[in-house]
Amino acid sequence: MRRLGRKRERPRIARNGSIPDAGPEVALSSGMQTLTDTSQGPGTPFPPTMLFAIGLLFAWWAHQALPFVFGPAPVLGAWLSAIGVVILVAGAAVFWWGMATFTHAQTGIMLQSPASRLVTAGPYRWTRNPMYVGFVAVYLGLALLMNSVWPLVLLPAVTIALELIVITREERYLRSVFGPAYEEYCRR
């Protein structure tokens, strides 16, 4: 456990493109581009969670102005709540599994932190963006708990904004850092 006030050392990427102490979850290639500036990550104007929060706030506002429900609360309320909780918990579990996998690999989790390893283990075996898949599931679970269709109406706008503002930057950054290894990962 880390003590307060003590700075944790970050894994470094060597100038020759190798990653010291890299485990099997790291994909490397001899033709990989060397990362020379290890102080920056892909960066975004604001955290991706804000896109989902903004979508839910607009949905709540729209629902207050013009209620648009899945069905009458007395009839569907218990079912919607139960299904919403299951989807929300599953989404949170996928999100935290992705976070734990990054933590275990000791690579940058926040978008302002540099990536030191290409993580392909855990939920990253099935999707390049398990944390965002988890966000979407949490968002859908909250929509059901709210008994409001508005979040579903706004979900395409949220996911398009996520793709354009966040994922495009992340993928460009990962291609520049890991080169052919990331391309191979994307083809799987």
Side-chain angles (χ1 to χ4, degrees):
M1 189 162 163
R2 189 175 113 179
R3 290 187 182 185
L4 291 176
R6 201 179 256 185
K7 188 175 180 182
R8 182 171 62 178
E9 269 191 48
R10 300 192 104 136
R12 302 271 186 233
I13 297 177
R15 293 208 183 270
N16 67 0
S18 66
I19 301 174
D21 305 321
E25 71 276 7
V26 180
L28 293 175
S29 169
S30 59
M32 170 169 98
Q33 184 174 343
T34 303
L35 178 63
T36 55
D37 180 9
T38 60
S39 65
Q40 297 287 325
T44 61
F46 51 90
T49 50
M50 290 296 289
L51 295 172
F52 291 94
I54 290 168
L56 282 171
L57 283 173
F58 273 110
W60 176 81
W61 175 78
H63 187 78
Q64 297 305 309
L66 181 67
F68 188 17
V69 297
F70 289 107
V75 177
L76 295 176
W79 283 101
L80 284 177
S81 293
I83 294 168
V85 166
V86 167
I87 292 172
L88 189 143
V89 168
V94 169
F95 171 79
W96 286 110
W97 186 20
M99 292 283 281
T101 304
F102 264 30
T103 301
H104 179 73
Q106 296 179 334
T107 192
I109 294 173
M110 304 311 281
L111 293 173
Q112 290 71 29
S113 302
S116 59
R117 297 185 173 151
L118 179 57
V119 179
T120 60
Y124 295 90
R125 287 177 285 187
W126 298 289
T127 177
R128 292 192 309 262
N129 299 299
M131 289 187 250
Y132 302 147
V133 171
F135 283 156
V136 169
V138 167
Y139 183 97
L140 291 172
L142 288 171
L144 293 175
L145 287 170
M146 290 169 56
N147 189 15
S148 177
V149 178
W150 284 112
L152 298 182
V153 170
L154 296 175
L155 184 58
V158 170
T159 56
I160 289 169
L162 181 69
E163 175 70 30
L164 296 175
I165 297 170
V166 179
I167 295 173
T168 302
R169 281 179 194 234
E170 285 180 344
E171 297 213 339
R172 182 174 44 240
Y173 171 78
L174 292 171
R175 278 186 178 84
S176 73
V177 172
F178 298 108
Y182 185 71
E183 293 294 336
E184 177 63 29
Y185 171 64
C186 290
R187 282 192 289 273
R188 295 191 305 162

